[in-house]
Amino acid sequence: DAGITQSPRHKVTETGTPVTLRCHQTENHRYMYWYRQDPGHGLRLIHYSYGVKDTDKGEVSDGYSVSRSKTEDFLLTLESATSSQTSVYFCAISGGWTEAFFGQGTRLTVV
Amino acid sequence: DQQVKQNSPSLSVQEGRISILNCDYTNSMFDYFLWYKKYPAEGPTFLISISSIKDKNEDGRFTVFLNKSAKHLSLHIVPSQPGDSAVYFCAASARDNNDMRFGAGTRLTVKP
């Protein structure tokens, strides 16, 4: 299995609070991604990174920011959590434009 | 703007029969296509892929077919086994743009 770890695995937070999810890899892969999974929508790309300090927006980036200060870590921040951001978040890593390897997911509930 | 579409939310087949999962895409820049399998409470796992220069790729019981003119791909599982029961996601990516897009998924149930 690819060395990819998400933390925390579960989190409950209140509306309006900032939340940061962490993705850590030990594979030295260049590309890292954050997706959210919601019923009926599949996996939707939030942000991705193609190198240290190089990031770009995905299809559902509003309300989210990311940072990648070193190869192994990719942080996703919900600047002010809303109930619509209740979801399961997956981090993925890839060495190129081919297959990606996913973490176990973080279940976030915003109350 | 969903660029990858899986129009069948669910599929049920009998053990031993063929399962066919379908996927359509709209972006002609996509040149690499993948299928992922997901069990509950786990992350998706890579299953099989195909490059746009091919029309078929086979790996054991799994075969992916690509029809570029129709912007359509399909995953065939034969024979289907109860352990294949999972949600299957179709995904696509482009060489010059590394954001990988996914469909909504198809839940496959293989009945013993």
Side-chain angles (χ1 to χ4, degrees):
Chain A
D1 289 346
I4 177 170
T5 306
Q6 290 184 231
S7 58
R9 294 292 312 279
H10 302 272
K11 186 169 182 66
V12 179
T13 192
E14 293 186 349
T15 300
T17 60
V19 177
T20 295
L21 308 182
R22 180 178 183 243
C23 179
H24 178 79
Q25 64 150 327
T26 57
E27 304 296 320
N28 201 36
H29 281 333
R30 178 181 177 188
Y31 300 96
M32 298 185 76
Y33 308 83
W34 277 108
Y35 291 89
R36 59 178 288 175
Q37 185 193 6
D38 304 289
H41 292 279
L43 292 156
R44 291 182 292 174
L45 182 65
I46 304 171
H47 283 279
Y48 67 102
S49 170
Y50 46 95
V52 173
K53 298 185 179 178
D54 291 324
T55 64
D56 207 347
K57 295 179 179 180
E59 53 193 315
V60 289
S61 59
D62 287 348
Y64 301 94
S65 62
V66 290
S67 66
R68 192 171 179 197
S69 59
K70 43 186 179 176
T71 299
E72 55 266 36
D73 290 324
F74 191 34
L75 304 180
L76 176 70
T77 298
L78 287 66
E79 293 137 11
S80 177
T82 68
S83 58
S84 65
Q85 294 176 312
T86 292
S87 186
V88 180
Y89 291 84
F90 287 99
C91 176
I93 61 175
S94 172
W97 57 292
T98 57
E99 59 265 29
F101 301 94
F102 283 81
Q104 295 285 78
T106 295
R107 183 174 294 276
L108 176 69
T109 303
V110 183
V111 298
Chain B
D1 175 27
Q2 194 159 15
Q3 299 183 27
V4 179
K5 300 178 183 179
Q6 293 176 258
N7 293 318
S8 297
S10 63
L11 174 68
S12 181
V13 300
Q14 208 65 37
E15 181 179 6
R17 298 292 189 101
I18 185 172
S19 296
I20 300 176
L21 295 91
N22 293 303
C23 178
D24 298 292
Y25 62 96
T26 58
N27 189 341
S28 58
M29 297 302 293
F30 288 143
D31 50 12
Y32 200 77
F33 304 90
L34 310 93
W35 285 94
Y36 285 82
K37 180 177 181 180
K38 186 182 181 305
Y39 293 116
E42 295 183 7
T45 55
F46 169 73
L47 187 60
I48 192 170
S49 62
I50 188 168
S51 164
S52 61
I53 62 173
K54 296 184 176 181
D55 55 16
K56 176 183 175 181
N57 188 27
E58 190 172 354
D59 183 2
R61 297 186 295 114
F62 303 91
T63 303
V64 56
F65 296 91
L66 176 63
N67 182 336
K68 284 183 291 183
S69 61
K71 293 190 176 66
H72 177 84
L73 64 155
S74 61
L75 173 68
H76 293 210
I77 307 173
V78 57
S80 301
Q81 300 174 354
D84 296 329
S85 297
V87 176
Y88 289 79
F89 290 102
C90 171
S93 66
R95 184 186 292 272
D96 61 352
N97 182 351
N98 288 283
D99 65 345
M100 186 173 294
R101 300 297 178 106
F102 284 78
T106 297
R107 182 178 299 279
L108 173 66
T109 302
V110 180
K111 298 180 178 179

